[in-house]
Amino acid sequence: MERIVVAPEDRVFVLTGAGISAESGLPTFRAEDGLWAGYRVEDVCTPEAWRRDPAGVWAFYSARREAGWKAEPNPAHHALAELEAELVERFFLCTQNVDDLHERAGSKRLLHMHGELAKSRCEDECGREPVEDRAIHSNLSAVAQCACGGRLRPHIVFFGEIPLEMDRIQDEIAKATMMVVIGTSGNVYPAANFVHWARQHGSRTVYVGPERPLNAQAFDEVVLGKAGEVLPGLFRVELGSRAAR
Ligand SMILES: NC(=O)c1ccc[n+]([C@@H]2O[C@H](COP(=O)([O-])OP(=O)(O)OC[C@H]3O[C@@H](n4cnc5c(N)ncnc54)[C@H](O)[C@@H]3O)[C@@H](O)[C@H]2O)c1
Ligand SMILES: [Zn+2]
């Protein structure tokens, strides 16, 4: 396999999706039966679902929390943390995943655009920040309240809600010279558009995953394979002239 050379002037923006956590045992969203861990997304992951059945939503995300805490980062998560250690501020990682496997592998310049399993926030949007919350809720009465009296909801971007920190993401894409997209099917927006934004800025674009994504035609290179097998050793970071001397 040909290695991808990261030159001293390059800045790398990485977007990951459910596929990077697949080898850690966490199911991706669009399995063949169209269900996600046995659920229909619209029953557990929309503002309507939360209004209609908050107990059901908490049961679903409690199960995701339990599975998430048990899972371990795989070689793909570690490879990205190692790439960041070499590139430091020339690296930025945006994940659609709500698990914490990237940070547990050591990633630091990391943004969770679809929220985080390990946090909860006020359902009334009273302005208070999300809080760390690893609780497993078996019923609604166990769910803590916000200081304003509102009920806490998972800090997850439901379908139909706007992803987090889009301005920062757009800035980082604009600064980058290379976009690497890993393990995402390319059918959830706006994330599926990032590759197009990167191209508009003249970036080189690379996809890594076992099958071609829906937006495959927008990539300069598609590297077919499992992330945990492909990513370790995929990048070769060239030293800058100062560091090389
Ligand atoms: N808010 C929610 O709770 C919720 C629910 C469903 C989807 N979503 C969001 O939609 C986003 C988009 O979904 P997605 O594209 O991440 O997931 P997806 O399930 O649509 O796609 C998974 C991708 O991973 C690839 N893959 C499978 N095994 C792999 C491996 N070992 N290595 C690399 N790639 C592998 C598959 O080929 C597929 O393209 C999700 O990340 C999620 O944030 C959110
Ligand atoms: Zn509140």
Side-chain angles (χ1 to χ4, degrees):
M1 185 175 57
E2 211 168 304
R3 298 181 84 190
I4 292 170
V5 175
V6 182
E9 63 276 13
D10 278 326
R11 298 181 67 98
V12 179
F13 181 104
V14 177
L15 170 69
T16 63
I20 198 166
S21 295
E23 290 159 86
S24 295
L26 300 179
T28 61
F29 299 109
R30 266 157 267 275
E32 269 161 31
D33 54 7
L35 298 178
W36 177 23
Y39 289 78
R40 294 190 319 155
V41 162
E42 50 272 40
D43 289 340
V44 288
C45 190
T46 60
E48 296 70 35
W50 175 252
R51 277 196 292 276
R52 193 178 59 237
D53 181 19
V57 172
W58 263 122
F60 178 74
Y61 280 102
S62 293
R64 303 279 69 70
R65 282 180 175 178
E66 280 185 305
W69 312 158
K70 276 191 217 136
E72 294 292 339
N74 68 54
H77 298 102
H78 289 295
L80 291 179
E82 283 161 24
L83 182 61
E84 177 179 352
E86 290 191 79
L87 298 178
V88 198
E89 80 286 351
R90 293 193 288 131
F91 176 94
F92 189 80
L93 173 55
C94 175
T95 186
Q96 300 169 82
N97 298 343
V98 297
D99 65 57
D100 61 358
L101 297 178
H102 282 305
E103 44 270 63
R104 281 162 55 199
S107 290
K108 298 206 164 45
R109 290 177 49 77
L110 164 69
L111 189 157
H112 283 274
M113 67 178 288
H114 289 159
E116 294 173 65
L117 271 180
K119 292 183 180 172
S120 299
R121 71 167 191 263
C122 180
E123 70 168 346
D124 293 335
E125 292 178 17
C126 68
R128 289 178 175 82
E129 289 294 306
V131 292
E132 294 287 330
D133 181 10
R134 296 181 157 259
I136 307 297
H137 298 299
S138 47
N139 61 66
L140 265 192
S141 58
V143 176
Q145 282 186 344
C146 176
C148 78
R151 181 155 49 203
L152 287 185
R153 60 167 267 183
H155 181 45
I156 300 284
V157 176
F158 293 146
F159 277 90
E161 296 180 328
I162 297 166
L164 308 172
E165 302 204 53
M166 285 306 299
D167 290 348
R168 170 129 192 250
I169 292 170
Q170 279 171 321
D171 282 354
E172 293 290 345
I173 291 175
K175 280 195 289 188
T177 60
M178 191 184 294
M179 172 171 286
V180 182
V181 177
I182 304 159
T184 174
S185 54
N187 60 28
V188 172
Y189 288 85
N193 268 334
F194 290 2
V195 63
H196 300 288
W197 300 345
R199 289 183 78 86
Q200 283 164 11
H201 293 291
S203 285
R204 176 180 179 183
T205 54
V206 181
Y207 180 81
V208 176
E211 57 200 0
R212 291 171 67 79
L214 277 184
N215 52 2
Q217 76 295 338
F219 289 92
D220 297 319
E221 290 143 84
V222 174
V223 183
L224 290 178
K226 292 183 175 180
E229 293 169 7
V230 169
L231 284 182
L234 180 63
F235 298 96
R236 185 163 65 77
V237 177
E238 281 185 341
L239 294 178
S241 49
R242 239 185 341 170
R245 252 183 243 139

